[in-house]
């Protein structure tokens, strides 16, 4: 199989359960999770360098000017960006790199990395989404409203994605993503170098 890892983008509205699903994937040694930089304030349960690298707007803009991001976007008033060096390093190591990012960033990455896989994670219903956001209690009421409005815009972008995974049950949703990635790795156009088998080259799996 192709030794280089795949770039896997997981998007979906706040409350879709991206964080939890991706947490399961990152425990698999074949995957690496990119940690983003944000200007958003840390939530009570978040740690610097684990959930995000928390930076001021000035620091973020400097990083953007220095071309340190693969992509970046503004989401509900805060900047979020993917540091490019980690992504390149892990792909070279053969890891499948997961970016848990919103739709504008996802589409920017697809422009640069045509071979990236775009997965949209959705909750089973809008009521379930509301329920999850309210129960999370990490955000004030007006922010929840903002995120719900934003969710509607994100649903409109679903057709730009390669796959849609319904997050009814976390283990199943993360397995669905793993299965998508493994099937993608076996795509003929990603493995045409195997033609060299005819020349007697040894193929390493
Ligand atoms: P939250 O504030 O809930 O942690 O994240 C808000 C949104 O920003 C989520 O949809 C999350 O996927 C997205 N996000 C997190 N990191 C990045 C990033 O580096 N780039 C982009 N474009 N979106 C991100």
């Amino acid at each position: 199989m192709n030794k280089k890892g795949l770039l896997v983008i997981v998007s979906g509205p706040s409350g879709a359960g991206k964080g939890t699903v991706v947490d399961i994937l990152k425990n698999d040694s074949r995957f690496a999770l990119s940690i983003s930089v944000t200007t958003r304030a840390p939530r009570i349960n978040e740690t610097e360098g684990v959930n995000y690298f928390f930076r001021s707007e000035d620091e973020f803009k400097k990083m953007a000017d220095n071309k340190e991001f693969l992509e970046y976007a503004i989401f509900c008033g805060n900047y979020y960006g993917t540091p490019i060096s980690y992504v390149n390093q892990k792909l070279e190591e053969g890891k499948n790199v997961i970016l848990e990012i919103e739709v504008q960033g996802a589409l920017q990455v697809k422009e640069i990395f045509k071979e990236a896989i775009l997965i949209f994670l959705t909750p089973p219903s809008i009521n379930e989404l509301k329920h999850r956001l309210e129960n999370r209690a990490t955000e004030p009421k007006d922010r929840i409203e903002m995120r719900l409005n934003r969710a509607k815009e994100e649903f409109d972008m679903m057709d730009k994605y390669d796959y849609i995974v319904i997050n009814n049950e976390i283990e199943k949703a993360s397995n669905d993503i793993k299965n998508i990635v493994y099937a993608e790795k076996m795509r003929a156009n990603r493995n045409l170098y195997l033609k060299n088998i005819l020349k007697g080259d040894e193929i390493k799996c």
Side-chain angles (χ1 to χ4, degrees), residues 10-15 18-19 34-38 40-41 43 46 51-52 54 60 69 71-76 78-83 99-106 108-109 133 136 138-139 147 150 154:
V10 180
S11 304
S14 296
K18 297 179 301 257
S34 160
I35 298 168
S36 298
V37 179
T38 184
R40 164 167 83 57
R43 293 179 184 139
E46 288 180 328
N51 305 94
Y52 282 107
F54 297 98
F60 191 100
F69 294 125
E71 62 70 41
Y72 68 91
I74 298 177
F75 180 95
C76 292
N78 291 303
Y79 286 85
Y80 295 82
T82 304
L99 307 186
E100 192 241 286
I101 64 177
E102 53 69 69
V103 291
Q104 306 161 69
Q108 285 177 48
V109 177
L133 272 179
R136 205 155 76 171
T138 48
E139 242 49 52
R147 280 172 183 255
R150 178 67 200 210
E154 295 198 310

Side-chain angles (χ1 to χ4, degrees), residues 180-198:
I180 290 168
V181 174
Y182 298 149
E184 281 285 341
K185 288 202 94 150
M186 288 182 271
R187 260 190 194 280
N189 63 2
R190 295 190 198 274
N191 292 286
L192 291 178
Y193 74 99
L194 287 169
K195 279 184 168 179
N196 290 337
I197 207 167
L198 286 175

Side-chain angles (χ1 to χ4, degrees), residues 75-93:
F75 180 95
C76 292
N78 291 303
Y79 286 85
Y80 295 82
T82 304
I84 196 163
S85 53
Y86 179 86
V87 172
N88 284 337
Q89 182 198 326
K90 292 294 165 187
L91 289 176
E92 285 303 326
E93 285 173 18

